[in-house]
Amino acid sequence: AQKITQTQPGMFVQEKEAVTLDCTYDTSDPSYGLFWYKQPSSGEMIFLIYQGSYDQQNATEGRYSLNFQKARKSANLVISASQLGDSAMYFCAMREGRPGRRALTFGSGTRLQVQP
Amino acid sequence: DAGVTQSPTHLIKTRGQQVTLRCSPKSGHDTVSWYQQALGQGPQFIFQYYEEEERQRGNFPDRFSGHQFPNYSSELNVNALLLGDSALYLCASSLGGLSSGANVLTFGAGSRLTVL
């Protein structure tokens, strides 16, 4: 079974509008972390936001927020007030187990295109 | 403060050849991980190094090997190249050993390998 599922291969959004990118995950470990990364055409993965499994509140970082629904095993990324520079690939990733030197499992990504 | 630097940025090899990719981690980071990202897919974990030893390994054959040097820099070696090894190879560094928090990976821009 896929550990990280991103069901939206591509999304379009108008500039200044909000957009939600979906991510569902599968793990039996009670301790885990969820990450979102942005990958522009240059190739570098840019960290956006993190949510720990025991965090009580949804994570927020500027225009990025993570809609964490633990029972549904979803961790959707919400980008508010989209900008042209937000056009990129977006990847959801999971770390299973407690923080430390652990590998990330990535989803297949969503390509976001922001239209003027 | 320099982030993760990788070299070369692009290279072309033929089947059966060997390749070495290099990575310098972000200043202050002691752990280096390598990921393979095939076209249109999310990154897949190859292996992780710290204290100059391979600590974790993903589902990759022994043709993939690595090394970490005393200054924390790292190399990824791939022997007997196959067409399917064509991908973007991403290096990520982190400060390992953290028992809480995100322990965020910082990625380089990658080395794009084409195997003909």
Side-chain angles (χ1 to χ4, degrees), chain A:
Chain A
Q2 295 274 11
K3 287 188 176 284
I4 295 286
T5 302
Q6 296 182 253
T7 58
Q8 307 155 313
M11 291 280 287
F12 288 91
V13 65
Q14 291 293 124
E15 195 177 6
K16 300 181 184 177
E17 292 187 350
V19 63
T20 298
L21 307 184
D22 295 341
C23 173
T24 58
Y25 60 92
D26 183 26
T27 181
S28 58
D29 198 317
S31 180
Y32 53 90
L34 297 159
F35 301 76
W36 277 91
Y37 280 85
K38 171 185 178 181
Q39 187 178 42
S41 56
S42 60
E44 184 175 353
M45 301 283 281
I46 301 168
F47 168 73
L48 297 177
I49 197 166
Y50 167 79
Q51 181 85 41
S53 60
Y54 295 116
D55 293 343
Q56 295 296 314
Q57 294 187 331
N58 287 345
T60 60
E61 290 284 352
R63 294 187 299 111
Y64 305 107
S65 60
L66 201 151
N67 184 1
F68 181 46
Q69 297 187 44
K70 198 169 183 177
R72 297 180 62 182
K73 294 189 173 180
S74 73
N76 299 338
L77 175 70
V78 180
I79 305 175
S80 63
S82 296
Q83 302 172 356
L84 295 178
D86 293 336
S87 294
M89 285 292 293
Y90 288 81
F91 291 95
C92 179
M94 176 173 63
R95 178 210 73 230
E96 291 182 274
R98 293 172 58 191
R101 295 182 173 95
R102 299 187 188 275
L104 294 185
T105 301
F106 285 82
S108 57
T110 296
R111 180 171 297 281
L112 177 66
Q113 295 187 58
V114 181
Q115 297 176 320

